[in-house]
């Protein structure tokens, strides 16, 4: 096998995701998994679950992960990359521990991990590393051999992730009526998180003023705006906004909310808007409800023409980007210099999360980092 297609030292790829219910009876147990340890009453979880019940109790995320699995396997096979791909979730079947147990039973000992979260934050990175450590501890308690797990770098600015979003914006602009198209505002959306979590996201040197989380999103938004301008000749006004807030009202979270932003745009006389969910890999529940349902209803109420651009999902270019990330990391693990693809001003992210990166409120063991007991 040529170095160009050599995944060594890796013998498998793990797709690690959030998980979601696949029927009405799954909704409350799923939410109990998500909120475990927070003491939230079941009745409150039933209220929160109404978003899922509107869609038959089914989150689209599991089917979207199945589609991504197929895309990855197809891409790997076509490229001659002999690397099996597995799938495990944080909060629903297939559960991470079960998948790692299967991988170990299959003889996998050095695993590359791709999470379905592209940016730095506690919930988008470190919490997955905590989940990996919990799963490894479970395998250790069972007397099973422990694999080494290496989380692939953040891919928010990889061309294979960004270019499909550029084309999604162009397609959404084309759907707007011509009289309002040139003046349309671009609302780049991502998950709101507490200000304190944003400020401490990424390596210690990037903490403060929204940390790496806000910085990374802003950089991607600028890349997309520049690409749209190059292809259309129009410089669209834009802003990074937030959605899906779920915390206590007295705790500051990143703002403005997308619905508040749409009201501001309407009041300022904006002729139209395109919502661009750059913070999400696929069209899961928070995209379907918070944007396609709630924010779209708000725009209709205001009389503001609005479109929502596509997420990356299982786009073949994203699957190829994942292959690139695996081979890049494999080469670096072997001590080979390799060009790392990244757009924008921030460059390629770190391979190994440093100590102090995206700290937790309560310290817990983590895997795949400089502070990991699982080397």
């Amino acid at each position: 096998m040529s170095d160009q297609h050599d995944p060594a030292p890796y013998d498998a790829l793990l797709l690690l995701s959030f998980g979601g219910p696949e029927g009405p009876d799954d909704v409350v147990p799923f939410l109990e998994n998500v909120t475990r340890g927070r003491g939230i009453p079941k009745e409150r979880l039933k209220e929160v679950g109404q978003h899922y019940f509107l869609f038959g109790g089914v989150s689209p995320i599991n089917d979207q992960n199945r589609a991504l699995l197929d895309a990855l396997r197809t891409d790997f096979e076509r490229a001659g990359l002999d690397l099996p791909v597995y799938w495990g979730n944080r909060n629903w079947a297939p559960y991470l521990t079960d998948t790692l147990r299967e991988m170990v039973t299959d003889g996998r000992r050095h695993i590359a991990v791709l999470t379905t979260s592209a940016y730095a934050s506690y919930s988008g990175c470190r919490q997955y590393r905590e989940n990996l450590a919990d799963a490894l501890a479970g395998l250790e308690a069972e007397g099973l051999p422990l694999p080494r797990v290496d989380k692939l770098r953040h891919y928010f600015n990889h061309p294979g992730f960004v270019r499909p979003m550029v084309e999604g914006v162009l397609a959404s602009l084309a759907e707007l009526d011509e009289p309002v198209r040139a003046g349309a505002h671009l609302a780049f959306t991502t998950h709101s998180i507490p200000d304190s979590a944003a400020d401490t996201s990424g390596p210690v040197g990037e903490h403060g003023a929204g940390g790496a989380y806000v910085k990374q999103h802003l950089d991607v938004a600028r890349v997309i705006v520049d690409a749209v301008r190059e292809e259309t000749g129009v410089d669209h006004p834009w802003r990074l906004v937030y959605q899906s807030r779920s915390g206590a009202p007295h705790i500051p979270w990143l703002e403005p909310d997308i619905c508040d932003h749409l009201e501001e745009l309407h009041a300022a006389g904006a002729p139209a808007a395109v919502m661009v969910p750059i913070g999400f890999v696929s069209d899961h529940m928070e995209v379907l409800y918070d944007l396609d349902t709630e924010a779209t209803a708000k725009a209709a109420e205001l009389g503001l023409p609005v479109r929502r651009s596509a997420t990356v999902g299982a786009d073949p270019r994203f699957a190829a980007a994942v292959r690139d990330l695996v081979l890049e990391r494999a080469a670096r693990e072997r001590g080979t210099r390799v060009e790392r693809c990244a757009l924008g001003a921030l460059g390629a992210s770190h391979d190994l999360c440093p100590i102090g990166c995206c700290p937790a409120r309560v310290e817990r063991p983590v895997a795949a980092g400089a502070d990991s007991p699982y080397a």
Side-chain angles (χ1 to χ4, degrees):
M1 179 178 294
S2 70
D3 285 348
Q4 186 178 0
H5 296 96
D6 186 1
Y10 299 113
D11 54 19
L13 173 68
L14 169 62
L15 175 65
L16 177 54
S17 192
F18 193 81
E22 300 199 81
D25 293 341
D26 296 344
V27 172
V28 172
F30 162 74
L31 292 173
E32 287 175 332
N33 287 342
V34 173
T35 62
R36 181 170 285 115
R38 301 182 201 174
I40 299 176
K42 183 170 288 190
E43 290 306 312
R44 174 56 182 153
L45 293 180
K46 290 179 180 177
E47 294 176 16
V48 173
Q50 291 306 311
H51 294 180
Y52 292 95
F53 293 128
L54 287 174
F55 296 87
V58 178
S59 168
I61 192 170
N62 280 353
D63 275 347
Q64 289 163 3
N65 281 325
R66 292 182 184 104
L68 180 56
L69 276 174
D70 288 343
L72 291 171
R73 288 166 177 160
T74 297
D75 177 86
F76 286 10
E77 182 178 358
R78 288 176 177 170
L81 179 62
D82 183 16
L83 193 72
V85 186
Y86 296 74
W87 168 38
N89 288 325
R90 172 189 291 175
N91 297 301
W92 202 249
Y95 288 103
L96 170 59
T97 300
D98 295 336
T99 300
L100 276 181
R101 185 185 299 110
E102 177 188 1
M103 297 178 82
V104 167
T105 302
D106 288 347
R108 314 304 175 192
R109 295 294 182 268
H110 201 152
I111 300 166
V113 180
L114 175 81
T115 62
T116 53
S117 177
Y119 300 85
S121 71
Y122 169 75
S123 58
C125 183
R126 188 178 184 89
Q127 191 170 9
Y128 282 110
R129 294 172 54 220
E130 291 176 351
N131 300 147
L132 285 166
D134 289 343
L136 291 171
L139 298 187
E140 188 173 32
E142 296 173 19
L144 293 172
L146 295 188
R148 174 172 166 176
V149 293
D150 290 341
K151 180 181 175 294
L152 299 176
R153 67 174 170 94
H154 299 301
Y155 48 85
F156 63 92
N157 56 3
H158 193 288
F161 184 67
V162 176
R163 184 62 205 178
M165 292 192 289
V166 171
E167 293 186 3
V169 174
L170 293 170
S172 293
L173 287 169
E175 291 174 1
L176 291 169
D177 292 339
E178 189 172 357
V180 301
R181 187 181 304 151
H185 286 237
L186 306 182
F188 292 95
T189 74
T190 191
H191 205 301
S192 184
I193 60 176
D195 286 4
S196 57
D199 290 346
T200 56
S201 58
V204 173
E206 297 183 39
H207 289 181
Y213 186 75
V214 171
K215 185 184 300 182
Q216 289 169 359
H217 282 86
L218 287 173
D219 200 51
V220 173
R222 292 187 188 100
V223 170
I224 294 173
V225 168
D226 289 346
V228 169
R229 182 178 60 249
E230 288 175 9
E231 299 203 25
T232 66
V234 179
D235 195 5
H236 290 272
W238 65 276
R239 186 172 183 181
L240 177 62
V241 300
Y242 303 93
Q243 62 175 88
S244 312
R245 174 183 172 136
S246 59
H250 67 281
I251 298 176
W253 282 50
L254 293 173
E255 296 179 336
D257 178 78
I258 177 61
C259 289
D260 294 338
H261 181 60
L262 293 176
E263 289 185 343
E264 292 170 1
L265 289 180
H266 176 66
V274 172
M275 299 181 291
V276 190
I278 60 171
F280 305 92
V281 172
S282 64
D283 288 3
H284 56 62
M285 184 57 67
E286 288 169 324
V287 175
L288 292 186
Y289 183 79
D290 295 331
L291 295 184
D292 293 355
T293 304
E294 193 173 48
T296 298
K298 171 59 70 175
E301 172 191 320
L302 297 168
L304 178 69
V306 68
R307 296 291 184 274
R308 195 269 290 176
S309 67
T311 53
V312 173
D315 189 290
R317 289 165 294 187
F318 181 45
V322 174
R323 167 167 45 91
D324 180 63
L325 291 169
V326 170
L327 293 174
E328 165 204 296
R329 180 65 181 272
R332 288 165 66 87
E333 289 293 313
R334 298 193 303 268
T336 303
R337 288 182 59 86
V338 61
E339 182 179 354
R340 303 204 294 161
C341 294
L343 300 175
L346 299 181
S349 187
H350 49 261
D351 284 334
L352 194 68
C353 290
I355 294 173
C357 193
C358 304
R361 287 176 295 177
V362 178
E363 200 68 25
R364 294 178 56 198
V366 292
D371 50 358
S372 172
Y374 299 100

